[in-house]
Amino acid sequence: MDDHQELVDEISALLGAPATLENRDFRLIAFGAHDSDDDSAMDPVRTRSILTRGSTAAVRAWFEGFGITRATGPVRIPAAPEAGVMRGRICLPVRHRGVVLGYVWLLDDDPGPSDARLAAAMDVAARIGVLLADEEQAGADLTRELRAVLTAERGWQRDMATSALRTALGARADGLHTVVCVAPWAAPDGSAQPLPSARSLPAATALCALPWGPDGQALAVLVRLRTPDDPGPAVAVAARLRDTVAGPPPGRRPAASRTPADGAPMAGVGDLRRELADLATAWQEAAAAARAALAEPRFGPVAEWSAIGPYRLLTALPTGGPADPAARELLTPAHQELARTAEVYLDLSGQAGRTAAELGIHRQTLYYRLSRVEQLTGLRLDDGEDRLLLHMALKAARLERTGGSAVRRPAAPS
């Protein structure tokens, strides 16, 4: 099945110029690549449309003044430098059964594309109209269906939820998908954050809010991928949504000063899936990646499941249970500095010189602290299994301090 980007690229190829697709509210849906060295090809109006994914009310009214809402064929619009329109435009109305659903925009040249090429481009615009109409009919807001698929128990409940989502998506159900998690989904002051519209996010098909931790919520987004080796659309959606609630991410910090982000959200991306029935697993992966980024900011602000290493296993452990007995005393507030020393030491493969430099302490101080760690835990740091146990206990504690979990699993028996 065609998607927005493929059809926009087809029009760009037909007319030899980068095209953009906006819905009838002038919200950007897709745009073609701009390879020209001509700066005039990116006038202020087009630049704003791409960067902010929309146009101002004044720009919208100006373009609508040329009759594009009633047009059934290409409309040529002259340049207007005073309005920031440095180049003329060609507008291809996107209609379906007489209803305008959006517009394809191209920069006009002299002499510009031939009538035959414009007619061919209008045929593609008609296919875009079918796609947009299908989305409206199926329902742009598939919150209930997506939530049911991501939370239903295995068995008949998940089968029914998957069938309902497939029906609602129609032809869009085919192809590759993944799930994005942004957590926690809250305004900077901790208040509720409104859910965005899936239609405002390129490649996003549906979204919903799901529980996160004891009383928070996370945002889940179903994203359609074009190829199995390019998660770019999902990463872009994740980054945009994360920045919506957190602003641009801060610079990376050294390992010695890493702490869970103070309420700042992170985003995770699951592996791709070919079957809707597997979306719940993709959601668990995305949530795990977000938790890993909250615990280890070096993974963020957008973490892919495939890149979080041992946290793929650690995030699968039950939450809310007690720490391993060997590490309980070390993880008390009174020994926070010792715990941090042990974690950095293990992160750096037990290299004393690098650890001392990272912590900014003398080697003798490091050796003293490590001996205290051994006394408190009863573990030997020259034993591989003991080191593995302590390292996992420290990382598990780091995850617990993030306070987030997409699924409340029962604690392991003590």
Side-chain angles (χ1 to χ4, degrees):
M1 175 179 171
D2 296 323
D3 69 12
H4 306 119
Q5 189 63 55
E6 290 171 349
L7 294 173
V8 168
D9 290 344
E10 187 173 339
I11 291 177
S12 295
L14 269 172
L15 302 182
T20 59
L21 170 64
E22 295 178 334
N23 66 15
R24 58 188 159 206
D25 296 322
F26 282 59
R27 297 296 298 173
L28 184 68
I29 298 174
F31 62 91
H34 167 65
D35 298 322
S36 173
D37 292 328
D38 180 6
D39 291 339
S40 66
M42 289 295 292
D43 62 25
V45 169
R46 188 167 195 266
T47 299
R48 177 186 174 88
S49 174
I50 292 174
L51 294 180
T52 67
R53 313 202 75 84
S55 298
T56 65
V59 167
R60 173 178 175 175
W62 190 81
F63 281 120
E64 288 179 342
F66 290 89
I68 61 174
T69 59
R70 302 181 301 278
T72 57
V75 178
R76 277 191 155 92
I77 300 172
E82 69 280 2
V85 181
M86 311 308 293
R87 293 272 297 276
R89 298 289 201 277
I90 297 175
C91 175
L92 307 180
V94 176
R95 309 183 79 90
H96 183 69
R97 296 183 178 176
V99 178
V100 64
L101 299 175
Y103 308 99
V104 175
W105 298 94
L106 302 105
L107 297 175
D108 201 2
D109 281 320
D110 187 14
S114 65
D115 290 343
R117 288 185 179 273
L118 285 174
M122 282 300 298
D123 289 340
V124 181
R127 288 157 55 197
I128 296 175
V130 172
L131 180 60
L132 294 180
D134 176 66
E135 290 178 355
E136 286 200 351
Q137 183 175 5
D141 183 6
L142 302 174
T143 296
R144 181 179 60 184
E145 290 82 358
L146 180 61
R147 183 185 294 114
V149 167
L150 300 186
T151 59
E153 297 290 338
R154 291 184 181 275
W156 66 269
Q157 291 176 313
R158 185 172 297 177
D159 291 343
M160 289 185 63
T162 301
S163 178
L165 179 61
R166 180 176 297 280
T167 299
L169 287 172
R172 292 177 295 158
D174 299 326
L176 306 174
H177 293 87
T178 191
V179 180
V180 164
C181 170
V182 183
W185 183 254
D189 62 0
S191 61
Q193 176 75 18
L195 296 185
S197 167
R199 294 177 63 86
S200 68
L201 301 167
T205 303
L207 53 82
C208 66
L210 292 174
W212 184 263
D215 53 12
Q217 67 175 7
L219 181 67
V221 188
L222 178 62
V223 179
R224 189 177 180 197
L225 301 177
R226 300 177 66 188
T227 62
D229 56 352
D230 181 17
V235 172
V237 167
R240 179 178 172 190
L241 289 170
R242 187 267 178 195
D243 290 351
T244 296
V245 289
R252 293 186 176 181
R253 292 171 287 175
S257 63
R258 290 177 198 148
T259 58
D262 298 329
M266 293 288 182
V269 179
D271 278 351
L272 69 87
R273 293 297 188 278
R274 298 180 183 276
E275 300 294 335
L276 295 181
D278 297 329
L279 291 181
T281 302
W283 163 245
Q284 293 300 327
E285 293 171 352
R291 285 187 67 205
L294 287 166
E296 291 274 14
R298 62 189 171 90
F299 288 132
V302 177
E304 296 180 48
W305 160 256
S306 60
I308 62 174
Y311 281 94
R312 292 195 297 236
L313 297 177
L314 290 167
T315 52
L317 297 175
T319 59
D324 186 89
R328 284 179 189 170
E329 180 65 21
L330 177 63
L331 291 171
T332 60
H335 300 301
Q336 184 176 358
E337 187 174 66
L338 290 178
R340 184 166 66 95
T341 297
E343 184 176 8
V344 174
Y345 176 72
L346 294 170
D347 283 348
L348 296 177
S349 304
Q351 298 180 51
R354 290 181 61 196
T355 303
E358 184 76 20
L359 295 171
I361 59 177
H362 194 276
R363 277 201 188 201
Q364 288 305 118
T365 303
L366 172 64
Y367 294 143
Y368 169 75
R369 290 184 185 179
L370 294 178
S371 68
R372 290 281 294 128
V373 169
E374 290 184 324
Q375 292 171 13
L376 287 169
T377 62
L379 301 174
R380 291 175 51 193
L381 293 180
D382 60 356
D383 180 89
E385 290 190 357
D386 281 3
R387 285 166 66 146
L388 177 60
L389 172 59
L390 180 58
H391 207 179
M392 292 190 67
L394 291 168
K395 294 302 184 186
R398 180 178 285 277
L399 274 175
E400 284 292 325
R401 291 196 296 272
T402 68
S405 177
V407 175
R408 297 182 179 88
R409 300 182 180 89
S414 55

